[in-house]
Amino acid sequence: MMSKPTEVGLQRVYGTHSVRALVETRPESIRGALVLKSSRSPMLADLRRALDELGVPVEEVDRERLDRMSGGGRHQGVLVRTAGIGEMGIAEFEELVIARGQFFLCLVLDGVQDPRNLGACLRNADAVGVDAVVVPRRRAASLTAAALKAASGAAANVPLVRVSNLAGTLRWLRNAGVWVVGADGGASRSIHQTRFRLPLALVAGGEGRGLRRLTRDLCDETLSIPMKGVVESLNVSVAVGVLLFEVQRQLQVGDGEAARGR
């Protein structure tokens, strides 16, 4: 069974879809809620009823306060305080790699600094059943409220592993028998010309810069996403989605869901 992130501190989560995901998956983590007073939104009314049924303290506030509490984010009239989602430690991550064995699949993000991109990547990872998402401790986005909203509940299901030495982690994965594949727009081989296999670590670079040279050098192979238009690259979260769903497609065509050990 996949390990879950450890809960620490308090965080703010806003937006109807993100809050609904918390109500359905982690209701025990919700400590309090702010909702827009005098709202006529049926979705917001349903959410208010669900929060009331859970016994969550709900405060009706004006839009100005919600704007301030969400940092100007698109809160859609609701914000909750939750027991925060922590990170998986490196020792736990290594145990997870060994436990999952031949079924292991992880996503490595090399310097993604926009929290919304981090959240979107977590959402993609959750959709495909990725075991963990690895990011460097420095020069990388954290699980801010914006990241949690973009993740739409996925951050509670996919462990985030923040490592001090990304290069060292990639070397460890390779020594553990994990195939490390990097996404690189300059690679001559495309994702459709490769047969993906597990255990696998997919590595994607940060916004604009792509993979750092050392990270690229530590990949067993680099692959590109075929591009036919005038646009030279995709947003990192879009590229990650393309990569992960191509992996999923190939695994399902091959051995079906049993290939992931689910």
Side-chain angles (χ1 to χ4, degrees):
M1 180 180 293
M2 185 175 69
S3 300
K4 300 293 184 180
T6 304
E7 292 184 356
V8 294
L10 285 177
Q11 291 175 321
R12 296 172 184 173
V13 177
Y14 55 79
T16 53
H17 293 296
S18 297
V19 174
R20 171 59 67 182
L22 277 174
V23 167
E24 294 176 352
T25 62
R26 297 174 60 236
E28 73 286 349
S29 71
I30 303 174
R31 300 293 184 260
L34 302 179
V35 299
L36 182 64
K37 63 182 177 183
S38 304
S39 172
R40 297 182 180 180
S41 165
M43 186 177 294
L44 199 58
D46 287 343
L47 231 116
R48 171 66 188 268
R49 282 192 291 271
L51 291 166
D52 286 338
E53 289 174 5
L54 290 171
V56 174
V58 178
E59 181 181 358
E60 293 189 348
V61 299
D62 57 27
R63 186 173 298 277
E64 182 180 355
R65 184 174 176 190
L66 276 171
D67 289 345
R68 186 171 65 254
M69 295 288 287
S70 64
R74 190 164 177 264
H75 52 71
Q76 298 173 301
V78 61
L79 178 148
V80 298
R81 299 183 185 89
T82 75
I85 302 169
E87 301 164 0
M88 175 177 281
I90 189 64
E92 293 175 281
F93 173 66
E94 291 176 355
E95 290 174 2
L96 174 63
V97 175
I98 294 168
R100 290 289 291 152
Q102 63 178 317
F103 304 116
F104 179 72
L105 173 62
C106 82
L107 173 66
V108 179
L109 300 176
D110 181 22
V112 171
Q113 299 188 38
D114 187 328
R116 293 166 296 183
N117 280 336
L118 173 61
C121 287
L122 284 166
R123 190 170 181 174
N124 287 330
D126 179 64
V128 176
V130 166
D131 292 307
V133 174
V134 179
V135 299
R137 190 168 297 281
R138 299 180 60 190
R139 300 185 181 89
S142 300
L143 284 175
T144 63
L148 291 170
K149 183 177 188 300
S152 196
N157 196 48
V158 182
L160 183 71
V161 187
R162 197 175 296 276
V163 298
S164 300
N165 186 339
L166 186 61
T169 299
L170 292 177
R171 291 190 187 97
W172 185 90
L173 285 169
R174 292 177 65 179
N175 289 335
V178 177
W179 185 30
V180 179
V181 177
D184 185 358
S188 58
R189 190 174 178 86
S190 86
I191 61 173
H192 302 309
Q193 295 172 316
T194 296
R195 182 174 176 79
F196 287 105
R197 64 183 185 275
L198 301 178
L200 171 66
L202 283 174
V203 188
E207 300 89 352
R209 179 184 61 185
L211 295 178
R212 290 178 295 174
R213 182 190 58 79
L214 179 57
T215 302
R216 187 185 300 109
D217 291 345
L218 287 169
C219 292
D220 294 305
E221 185 173 355
T222 57
L223 303 172
S224 62
I225 297 174
M227 305 284 289
K228 294 185 177 180
V230 297
V231 176
E232 295 182 354
S233 64
L234 298 172
N235 172 277
V236 61
S237 64
V238 175
V240 163
V242 172
L243 287 164
L244 289 175
F245 279 96
E246 176 60 16
V247 171
Q248 183 190 61
R249 184 193 69 81
Q250 289 193 22
L251 293 177
Q252 289 180 337
V253 168
D255 299 323
E257 281 300 307
R260 285 304 328 275
R262 298 300 183 189

